[in-house]
Amino acid sequence: MSIRKYIAYLRTVETGSITQAANELGYTQSAVSKMISDLEQDWQVKLLTRNHSGIEISSDGMVLLPTIREIVKDYEDLNFAVSELHGVQSGTLRLGCFTSLAISLLPEILKDFHQTYPNIQIQLMTGEYYEISEWLRRGAYNQIATWLRRGQIDCGFLAIPASNDFETTPILHDTMVAILPKDHPMADASVFPLEQLPHENFVRLMEIEDYEFNRLLDQCNIHPEVTYDTTSDFALLSMVEAGLGVGIVHSLLIKPERYHVAVLPLNVKQSREIGIAVKKGFLPSTITQLFLQHVIDYTRSIDENSVRR
């Protein structure tokens, strides 16, 4: 049995699309359909069901999926071991990350990792996590967590606490800060008091995008008038830079300092802990384990350097 068929079926299930799986693997759509059909014929089971909304994994496919995933992982580990024998260390890592980390610390992490493992390809998927209104659902909808559960990524960065179906290692803290136009009267202040917000033009990330900050305002019983609402981190930064108002963001978003804004700590400290996660109950591939350790070592070295300073 060709391992290609297992990989084609696995990527189809993970992406939810034969077309997308074909594009990722470099096959035609008909070739992937044929490989899945061959598996169904050989095993005498239905692996996928088709409906008006696309494809879904069948109950039989669900039973076989963990074994297929393990076979594919072992195959990837074998390929990596062979590449090590030739001094190449090649393979692919699929990584999930949210925007503020992806544009700040992650590029340096990837650059450092690439210097050690230049032949490992990184496929980066960026997404966010959103809290759903309490009356709709308790907890938070997390795009990266969804990708992890489906197996679309090998590991991903999440805010902690994360769901208990992940193995999550804490790596850093991300503190909320105020950003002000450079010519704002408070631009040189030592802190920005949250109580000042109702007296400012406030540029806000819409509630579903930044629920942590809205929860902080509720706790402090502060309810500023919103002058501008946006769903984009970058739009918020540009609007504050242009002098349209004051914003509150996580500090990772402003590293490196690409925007001409004043950055002040809040008088009420609020931070989130960020970790890197894999799906619990599944042994990560060799490449994933290498990357996890690299991230842990890299972020630990940053903390140690900041302490020395």
Side-chain angles (χ1 to χ4, degrees):
M1 182 67 66
S2 171
I3 191 69
R4 293 183 306 163
K5 296 178 182 178
Y6 294 167
I7 295 172
Y9 174 63
L10 185 60
R11 290 307 294 144
T12 298
V13 170
E14 290 171 347
T15 61
S17 166
I18 290 176
T19 302
Q20 187 173 337
N23 289 338
E24 288 185 10
L25 297 172
Y27 298 135
T28 63
Q29 183 178 343
S30 59
V32 172
S33 294
K34 176 67 165 57
M35 284 189 272
I36 295 172
S37 177
D38 287 346
L39 289 177
E40 292 178 325
Q41 207 165 30
D42 291 340
W43 294 340
Q44 293 296 294
V45 296
K46 195 72 176 171
L47 294 173
L48 297 176
T49 59
R50 292 165 175 80
N51 52 44
H52 64 279
S53 61
I55 61 168
E56 292 181 0
I57 186 170
S58 68
S59 56
D60 288 336
M62 192 68 74
V63 171
L64 297 173
L65 185 62
T67 304
I68 294 173
R69 183 173 278 129
E70 193 64 30
I71 290 171
V72 171
K73 186 193 80 69
D74 288 345
Y75 173 73
E76 291 172 346
D77 284 347
L78 175 62
N79 277 343
F80 183 79
V82 171
S83 70
E84 279 194 305
L85 293 176
H86 294 284
V88 177
Q89 295 178 307
S90 64
T92 300
L93 175 78
R94 298 168 300 162
L95 174 65
C97 187
F98 50 88
T99 303
S100 58
L101 183 59
I103 67 170
S104 56
L105 188 60
L106 184 61
E108 290 301 318
I109 292 175
L110 295 181
K111 180 181 178 181
D112 200 56
F113 185 74
H114 179 72
Q115 288 175 346
T116 306
Y117 305 104
N119 296 296
I120 292 179
Q121 179 188 12
I122 305 290
Q123 295 178 355
L124 177 63
M125 296 173 65
T126 56
E128 305 299 336
Y129 59 92
Y130 315 112
E131 184 174 275
I132 305 301
S133 298
E134 192 69 19
W135 62 273
L136 286 177
R137 175 183 169 187
R138 290 187 177 273
Y141 166 70
N142 191 316
Q143 201 169 17
I144 297 171
T146 300
W147 292 335
L148 271 174
R149 290 190 182 97
R150 291 176 179 171
Q152 290 177 257
I153 56 177
D154 301 304
C155 58
F157 295 95
L158 298 173
I160 298 174
S163 173
N164 59 11
D165 55 344
F166 301 125
E167 295 282 355
T168 308
T169 304
I171 56 169
L172 58 91
H173 282 86
D174 187 15
T175 305
M176 280 186 176
V177 295
I179 54 172
L180 291 70
K182 282 284 191 180
D183 59 356
H184 191 281
M186 293 186 64
D188 295 323
S190 57
V191 296
F192 182 86
L194 280 176
E195 296 81 5
Q196 178 66 22
L197 270 185
H199 308 290
E200 301 285 345
N201 289 333
F202 180 36
V203 185
R204 181 186 69 170
L205 277 175
M206 292 179 68
E207 184 172 356
I208 199 169
E209 307 292 331
D210 198 12
Y211 69 90
E212 292 167 327
F213 174 60
N214 287 281
R215 188 164 54 194
L216 173 62
L217 290 182
D218 288 340
Q219 290 170 353
C220 297
N221 197 27
I222 297 172
H223 305 287
E225 289 291 327
V226 178
T227 310
Y228 301 98
D229 255 334
T230 178
T231 59
S232 167
D233 295 315
F234 303 111
L236 186 152
L237 288 166
S238 295
M239 293 161 80
V240 171
E241 184 182 47
L244 297 181
V246 170
I248 307 292
V249 299
H250 286 99
S251 58
L252 275 176
L253 189 64
I254 53 173
K255 298 175 182 175
E257 296 179 2
R258 299 187 182 93
Y259 290 83
H260 299 289
V261 296
V263 181
L264 303 181
L266 300 178
N267 63 327
V268 180
K269 188 172 182 181
Q270 177 76 7
S271 65
R272 61 181 175 181
E273 190 169 26
I274 295 172
I276 187 163
V278 295
K279 192 173 180 180
K280 187 179 290 184
F282 294 90
L283 182 66
S285 69
T286 302
I287 291 175
T288 304
Q289 292 180 56
L290 288 172
F291 185 74
L292 293 176
Q293 191 58 54
H294 176 79
V295 170
I296 293 167
D297 292 343
Y298 188 92
T299 52
R300 186 179 296 153
S301 70
I302 292 175
D303 286 342
E304 290 173 353
N305 289 336
S306 64
V307 169
R308 290 193 192 103
R309 288 197 297 269

